Each structure stands twice: as structure tokens, then as C-alpha cells.
Amino acid sequence: MNNNTLFDNTEIAFALKSDSELERAYFLFKMISIEPLVRIGTAATHFAIKAKLPVEGLIRATVFDHFCGGVSEENCLPVIDKMYEKGVSSVLDYSVEGKENEEEFDAALRITLKIINFAEERKSIPIAVFKPSGFGRIALYEKMGKHDTLTDKETDEWNRVLNRFETVCKTAKSRDVSVLIDAEESWMQDAADSLITDLMRKYNTEKPIVFNTLQMYRHDRLDFLKAQHKLAKSEGFYLGYKIVRGAYMEKENERAEKKGYPTPICESKEATDLNFNSAVAYMMDNLADMSIFNGTHNELSSYYLMDLMKEKGIENSDKRVWFGQLYGMSDHISFNLSNLGYNVAKYVPFGPVKDVMPYLIRRAEENTSVAGQTGRELNLLSKEKKRRKQ
């Protein structure tokens, strides 16, 4: 099958979906494709949750069950096991966002450790993940990144953040589970980056265990990657990176304009795509020193990495190369890749329904704003519905 039609195989893409799940997916993407509806739905959902209206059942049966694995890690097991039968691994992602107190940070730490222990027992979960803002306040990262002097109270607080990161990475190393650390807003990222580099230095001694994330819509990330590579080579440790385009573009541009500094974002979609591909190519040229987790829903980016692997004689199943997509999206990429023996992992979000709503709303808004994405999902779902009726 030639590359350009590989992702068109809907029989493989939707093999795990029953007819009713296929219908639900079609209905959801149809709704998401209507921008005003997403805006109204988002506002109505926010209101319903704040007003404690009984909407959880409805949310659970529709959006939640499509984009999330369950309310707890145990609850996700049927989804995880089912996908693994088709060769697709899972990255369990505790998707509770926007919490800003020590109690919540400690809870996020406990859940992340639980996932690592859970992952050790299951081949289907080779990778864990957490967000820096799940372990500490964004304002504190920002202050650290600017090298501002911390108060005594903030110093204690930062030490607790360090301790959470350290605990997770140490546990991951002892259990031989890779850990992906997500990237967030640029103004907090400097502090997260230097902290993660220290952890790579400490724990990536035989192979990458700790992975940072590079958002390639930032024009400085390719230079950052090259500088990190130089550092890692001189000090003898391995690099692990998840490569993504990025999720906070509007926020980044607005803040830069408001505060009067140049935006960190590439000037165009084409520049971002080029930056993304350049990072992938650089990592593939230096695979002896690093591992790549290619986090993308973009078909061309997926083909590009496949072509590079073929060109360099790298086996489809080489553990240094992973492809990743979100649960509930781009099944045509994930399942067709795993069918050819590539390493594929789906991010499987979980958490209490009301706490995961900010994540789900962001997903809906992203799908609305990414040109062609929702249309592509609808075409493929519609094609599979027709195929089944024949």
C-alpha cells in the first residue's frame, strides 16, 4: 500500500468501534464542526456544572466516553486492553487542569506514581505522563524562570515542586517506565526546561527515561534541541523528546502583544510545519543519542517520519521511535500504523467527569479551530459506515 493511502483504511482504523460507537463518533464530530454550537455548548456546560445541574450522565455518555478512558485508572482498563489487542499502547493522562494548591499537587503526584506502578505490571502502558502545572503553581515557575528572588515561603514551595518531579522520575527509572513531561505556556517553560534537563542528566544514563516536550510552533525550539544535544553529548546522558506543534497559540500571541514583547510563535503555519519536520529530521539523524515521541495528528508529519525511518533502515518496531495521538481522535493514523508494527501510543485522559471538563472543552475548541481536522474525521467515519452497510 503506498504511503499516501495508508491512512485511508477505515476497516483497520475503526475495527474496535461498534456500530453504535461509530454513530456516536459521527454525531460528536458533526456537532464539533459547527463553531457557534461549540461556543454555546461550552458556555452551557460551564454553567450546568457550576449550577450543579445533573448533566454528568449526559456528558459521560457522549463527549466524555469518546475522548476519555474513564474516571479512574482501573476504570480505563477495558479501553487499554482493547486497544492493546490491536497493538496500540496507552499513556494514561490524569487530565484534571487548573488546580493551584498544595493538596491538589500532592494528589496529582500520588496519581502519577500510581500510574507508574500500574504501568510496570502492564506491557500495554509503557509510558507515564504529567504536566508541570500539576505539580506546582504557574506563577512560581515563571518567577524561577526569570531568576527572581524567592521568598522563604516560595523557596519551600519550590523545593516541594522539585521533590515531586524527583520522586516521579526516580520511581520511573526503578520501574523502567518512560515518563513524558508535557510543555505548557512559554513564560513558565524556562524553569520547567532546566529542571527537566537536570533530571535527564540524572536518570537518562543508559537510555531515555525522562522525556521533555518541544512545542514546535515556538521558533526557538530547534536551537534549544541542538544546544541540549551538545550538552548531553558532552556530559554523557541521553535525551528524550515528545515533539508537538503546540496548544496555546492564541494565548501566547495575546500575551506577547499585551506585554509588548515579540511573540515566541512562528509567523505562519508553514513555518511551524517546517520547524516540526526539521526537529524530527534532526532527532532521526541523532537517534544514537536520543528517542523521539512524535505527537501529531498530522498525516504528512506521520508519513515524513515513516519515510525517514525507511531511508535510514530503522525497523518499524525500533523502541527509540514512537508515534502518539489522543484517544478519540485520528484512529486512522494510530491503528493503521500499529497494524504495520510501528510503536504507537494513545494518550488516554481520565479523571472525575466535572474535573476533566476543561480538558474536554479545549479538545472541542481545538478540533473546531484546526482546519480540515474535523472534516477528515467525518469523511472517514462516513466511509466506514457505508462500508459496513455493503
Side-chain angles (χ1 to χ4, degrees):
M1 185 181 290
N2 102 16
N3 257 0
N4 298 333
T5 59
L6 167 70
F7 298 142
D8 289 339
N9 188 326
T10 60
E11 188 176 355
I12 291 172
F14 302 119
L16 294 181
K17 285 203 188 314
S18 65
D19 289 352
S20 65
E21 285 169 334
L22 204 64
E23 288 297 345
R24 181 185 66 190
Y26 186 81
F27 169 76
L28 272 178
F29 281 111
K30 195 85 187 145
M31 295 296 103
I32 288 170
S33 70
I34 305 162
E35 204 173 327
L37 203 61
V38 171
R39 281 203 301 274
I40 294 161
T42 298
T45 306
H46 275 312
F47 171 77
I49 286 170
K50 276 209 173 74
K52 299 196 166 41
L53 298 176
V55 290
E56 279 200 22
L58 174 66
I59 293 166
R60 176 93 213 237
T62 53
V63 187
F64 185 90
D65 277 356
H66 181 82
F67 289 111
C68 298
V71 291
S72 67
E73 53 280 28
E74 286 87 359
N75 201 226
C76 294
L77 277 176
V79 160
I80 291 166
D81 293 342
K82 213 160 109 174
M83 290 202 296
Y84 198 59
E85 280 169 27
K86 299 287 181 192
V88 173
S89 300
S90 295
V91 179
L92 273 178
D93 182 13
Y94 180 58
S95 294
V96 173
E97 298 183 354
K99 306 288 187 182
E100 282 260 293
N101 60 65
E102 294 295 307
E103 212 176 295
E104 293 289 351
F105 299 147
D106 287 337
L109 170 63
R110 278 194 303 276
I111 288 165
T112 308
L113 292 173
K114 199 171 168 188
I115 291 169
I116 292 170
N117 292 326
F118 203 61
E120 187 195 12
E121 299 154 24
R122 290 175 177 78
K123 281 199 173 82
S124 53
I125 314 172
I127 301 163
V129 65
F130 70 89
K131 265 183 151 56
S133 62
F135 284 3
R137 287 185 306 116
I138 289 178
L140 187 63
Y141 287 102
E142 189 181 351
K143 207 166 174 184
M144 278 301 297
K146 287 200 225 143
H147 306 292
D148 289 350
T149 310
L150 301 186
T151 64
D152 289 349
K153 194 175 167 219
E154 286 169 336
T155 303
D156 290 345
E157 194 185 348
W158 182 248
N159 286 334
R160 287 194 294 274
V161 174
L162 294 179
N163 191 41
R164 290 181 191 112
F165 273 77
E166 176 74 37
T167 305
V168 164
C169 295
K170 189 177 182 177
T171 308
K173 170 91 170 185
S174 70
R175 306 280 195 273
D176 197 27
V177 172
S178 298
V179 61
L180 299 174
I181 303 170
D182 281 342
E184 299 183 76
E185 293 91 342
S186 61
W187 51 95
M188 67 158 292
Q189 197 60 42
D190 286 351
D193 284 340
S194 66
L195 170 49
I196 298 164
T197 299
D198 286 343
L199 292 163
M200 284 189 188
R201 194 181 269 120
K202 191 166 179 181
Y203 294 110
N204 291 1
T205 46
E206 286 92 41
K207 64 175 186 183
I209 287 283
V210 179
F211 282 65
N212 199 353
T213 300
L214 299 176
Q215 293 174 309
M216 299 314 298
Y217 66 3
R218 283 183 56 176
H219 48 67
D220 65 345
R221 295 290 86 181
L222 188 58
D223 287 340
F224 174 80
L225 168 63
K226 290 174 179 173
Q228 289 281 290
H229 183 213
K230 203 172 163 186
L231 177 75
K233 269 182 91 82
S234 71
E235 295 187 18
F237 63 94
Y238 290 87
L239 295 173
Y241 283 108
K242 178 173 77 155
I243 307 280
V244 298
R245 276 172 172 76
Y248 305 96
M249 191 167 79
E250 282 83 7
K251 216 187 210 181
E252 290 280 359
N253 285 331
E254 272 166 29
R255 188 178 190 268
E257 197 172 328
K258 197 170 138 197
K259 294 191 174 264
Y261 61 84
T263 177
I265 306 296
C266 292
E267 78 241 4
S268 65
K269 169 81 168 74
E270 292 72 35
T272 298
D273 291 343
L274 182 62
N275 211 27
F276 186 96
N277 284 353
S278 302
V280 170
Y282 185 84
M283 290 190 76
M284 293 306 289
D285 282 342
N286 295 287
L287 209 53
D289 308 324
M290 55 185 80
S291 292
I292 180 171
F293 186 98
N294 191 40
T296 183
H297 292 221
N298 184 300
E299 292 175 18
L300 295 177
S301 295
S302 304
Y303 286 139
Y304 182 65
L305 179 51
M306 291 161 72
D307 289 342
L308 285 176
M309 288 175 78
K310 197 173 172 188
E311 213 175 274
K312 293 173 186 300
I314 292 159
E315 295 284 329
N316 291 7
S317 59
D318 192 303
K319 283 290 179 224
R320 295 169 299 177
V321 184
W322 281 82
F323 292 80
Q325 289 80 40
L326 296 165
Y327 180 67
M329 286 165 66
S330 301
D331 286 348
H332 64 299
I333 297 179
S334 312
F335 290 96
N336 280 303
L337 281 172
S338 72
N339 189 52
L340 292 175
Y342 290 95
N343 298 310
V344 182
K346 285 277 206 192
Y347 256 57
V348 180
F350 74 95
V353 177
K354 65 177 188 313
D355 291 337
V356 174
M357 278 321 293
Y359 167 85
L360 289 171
I361 285 163
R362 218 177 62 211
R363 279 288 81 82
E365 287 169 349
E366 263 173 43
N367 267 298
T368 309
S369 66
V370 175
Q373 177 130 339
T374 305
R376 180 73 167 131
E377 297 276 0
L378 283 168
N379 286 341
L380 291 159
L381 290 160
S382 162
K383 184 179 164 189
E384 177 60 9
K385 276 165 52 172
K386 275 191 201 117
R387 189 195 68 78
R388 289 186 189 187
K389 285 189 181 111
Q390 279 166 3

